[in-house]
Amino acid sequence: MLYHAIEAQYLALTPFRIAADTWRSMLAHPGNPLSETTLHRAGAAAMEIMARAARRHGRPEFGIPTVEVDGQPVAITEKLIHGEPFCRLIHFERALAKPRKDPKILLVAPLSGHFATLVRDTIESLAATHEVYVTDWQDAREVPLSDGRFGFEDYVDVLRRCISHIGAGVTMLAICQPAPAAIVATALMAEAKDPLTPRNLVIMGGPVDTRRGTTEVTRLAQSHTIAAFEAAAVHNVPPFHPGAGRRVYPGLLQLSGFMSLNPDRHLKAHVDFLWAHAKGDDHFAKAHRRFYEEYLAVMDLDAQFYLDTVSIVFQEHALMKGTLKHRGHLVDASAIRNVGLMTVEGGRDDITGTGQCHAAHELCARIPDKLRLEVTEEKVGHYGLFSGRSWRERISPAVGEFIRRNKVS
């Protein structure tokens, strides 16, 4: 019923969206002699906000045509390395004039409702000095039932297969949600003495131990039973979609949850956009548009993965307690030894609370101190860990330095 309600809402809002787009075009049209006045610019911005709220937002493009390497622009090609129903492994291949022996990074994008394009800024920064591979997760609504379910164990297996296609010496960089799965994959490979075991594991804002640093996210996850989450949040994909009949956690539910954490911040962002546009600050307006076009584009998660994550990570705390099993095998995080471990937290992170990510050092107790690094950016929120000025100017250089310090000998 949820999907039908959503479709009905989009249809009902179509005339409103068309009217708002029309008024915005009229107010901002170059032929309008008043288009550059404060009043008309503010009106156009208001119409744009209303039209955006009523529009269906499709999957964005990565849109990274070039990166700057040694001060020179270098063309980027998105190359498919490995494809599966729920994930594509993309190499952001650089057209370098001369070969470079840059470290390889598997950037594990979060599978939490947004597309992998959310980490565009992360890719751009890292690609200047690294070979970057990205997990491009697929919308569960588009995956046919015949391709089977996708749970936490499947996620771990995907990471291992991605590493096998990249090769030895890779650094696995997990942003937020994939942190526990990245640790599990690394532990399993280390225990098996797999030569492809990641050389470094970098975790940014990851919920490793959700008993610490309580946030609204952890409170919600721990205050209801799995049965309650299944009843309230799991829905079937309706006909006319490739994944018709698949049980999913709709991306719009996740989006509404995220936005409800900071309604005042989102309201302020739109008011600031309106006034910035009115004053002719096109740079701010462009950044605002880019963020919300990305933020409002959401994807569905397979219900099994969603429920597994709530249960394993937020309720059972199985990884930290040493009770987590993968395909019946008990996961031993202490098997991770000669792997560099870097954790990054934000002091203003209202999604992954203080201490949750750094707990990985306690979990991976047998890693030598010389291979460890904890970084805390006190004035940075969750998204600022991997996007924006703090990421580009401080966090990204620190990540690059850590990787090179622990390079393959």
Side-chain angles (χ1 to χ4, degrees):
M1 291 301 293
L2 176 69
Y3 268 95
H4 295 293
I6 291 172
E7 294 297 327
Q9 177 177 304
Y10 277 127
L11 287 173
L13 290 175
T14 296
F16 173 82
R17 175 184 57 78
I18 293 174
D21 275 331
T22 301
W23 274 103
R24 181 193 61 79
S25 297
M26 292 173 58
L27 291 169
H29 195 279
N32 179 354
L34 301 177
S35 63
E36 292 302 317
T37 63
T38 299
L39 181 61
H40 276 231
R41 289 182 67 92
M47 292 299 108
E48 181 178 337
I49 291 170
M50 288 188 281
R52 186 191 299 127
R55 187 170 69 248
R56 188 195 304 273
H57 295 265
R59 178 191 179 91
E61 298 293 330
F62 281 103
I64 306 176
T66 63
V67 294
E68 191 172 291
V69 180
D70 293 335
Q72 299 296 323
V74 173
I76 289 287
T77 301
E78 295 176 28
K79 185 176 180 180
L80 178 64
I81 301 300
H82 173 63
E84 301 188 17
F86 289 93
C87 182
R88 303 189 313 154
L89 177 62
I90 305 295
H91 179 203
F92 285 80
E93 192 173 59
R94 303 170 298 174
L96 296 167
K98 296 181 180 180
R100 293 164 55 104
K101 294 184 178 181
D102 286 336
K104 295 177 289 187
I105 289 184
L106 171 58
L107 175 53
V108 187
L111 179 54
S112 54
H114 287 102
F115 293 94
T117 50
L118 189 70
V119 298
R120 182 187 294 108
D121 206 15
T122 323
I123 298 168
E124 285 187 284
S125 296
L126 294 175
T129 50
H130 301 80
E131 290 291 344
V132 179
Y133 301 79
V134 179
T135 55
D136 185 18
W137 303 106
Q138 302 302 292
D139 191 339
R141 181 177 58 187
E142 304 300 316
V143 181
L145 269 176
S146 57
D147 287 319
R149 69 168 199 171
F150 186 80
F152 183 86
E153 292 179 323
D154 302 294
Y155 192 111
V156 171
D157 292 341
V158 166
L159 296 186
R160 296 184 67 175
R161 287 194 291 271
C162 285
I163 291 172
S164 72
H165 282 84
I166 298 172
V170 69
T171 289
M172 183 152 53
L173 191 159
I175 296 176
C176 187
Q177 164 272 317
I183 294 173
V184 172
T186 304
L188 293 172
M189 296 178 76
E191 185 179 6
K193 295 182 169 45
D194 190 329
L196 299 182
T197 300
R199 185 65 190 90
N200 298 291
L201 182 57
V202 180
I203 302 173
M204 301 171 56
V208 179
D209 187 353
T210 56
R211 296 170 297 183
R212 312 181 187 193
T214 302
T215 65
E216 286 299 322
V217 174
T218 55
R219 275 192 286 269
L220 174 64
Q222 295 165 10
S223 61
H224 298 79
T225 65
I226 287 297
F229 278 109
E230 187 171 10
V234 172
H235 300 269
N236 291 329
V237 177
F240 311 114
H241 293 282
R246 180 176 294 281
R247 298 172 73 243
V248 298
Y249 173 51
L252 282 173
L253 286 184
Q254 182 76 319
L255 176 64
S256 63
F258 280 145
M259 296 194 75
S260 67
L261 293 175
N262 294 290
D264 294 342
R265 185 181 302 174
H266 289 289
L267 176 60
K268 182 178 184 301
H270 284 84
V271 171
D272 289 345
F273 165 74
L274 191 152
W275 289 116
H277 195 278
K279 294 184 292 185
D281 186 351
D282 292 331
H283 177 75
F284 180 92
K286 183 178 179 180
H288 174 94
R289 288 191 191 98
R290 182 175 180 178
F291 175 81
Y292 276 99
E293 287 296 331
E294 187 73 57
Y295 191 73
L296 296 175
V298 291
M299 58 187 287
D300 296 349
L301 279 61
D302 187 272
Q304 189 62 52
F305 175 73
Y306 167 70
L307 295 173
D308 281 353
T309 300
V310 174
S311 175
I312 293 169
V313 177
F314 291 93
Q315 295 187 350
E316 297 174 6
H317 314 292
L319 183 57
M320 289 300 299
K321 290 181 177 179
T323 60
L324 178 61
K325 290 185 178 181
H326 179 80
R327 310 293 183 194
H329 179 79
L330 189 66
V331 177
D332 180 13
S334 68
I336 304 174
R337 299 184 185 183
N338 297 316
V339 175
L341 176 61
M342 178 179 182
T343 56
V344 185
E345 291 190 352
R348 297 179 179 175
D349 192 335
D350 54 3
I351 293 177
T352 303
T354 303
Q356 290 187 19
C357 188
H358 289 332
H361 291 278
E362 177 184 325
L363 181 66
C364 305
R366 301 184 74 175
I367 295 177
D369 289 343
K370 65 180 181 180
L371 296 180
R372 299 174 179 273
L373 180 63
E374 290 186 14
V375 174
T376 302
E377 289 286 335
E378 295 294 347
K379 297 182 180 181
V380 174
H382 190 72
Y383 293 97
L385 290 174
F386 58 90
S387 180
R389 180 177 297 178
S390 295
W391 157 251
R392 290 191 298 269
E393 294 181 358
R394 296 190 300 278
I395 301 173
S396 179
V399 169
E401 181 182 348
F402 178 80
I403 291 172
R404 282 172 166 76
R405 188 182 79 192
N406 297 324
K407 65 182 179 181
V408 178
S409 57

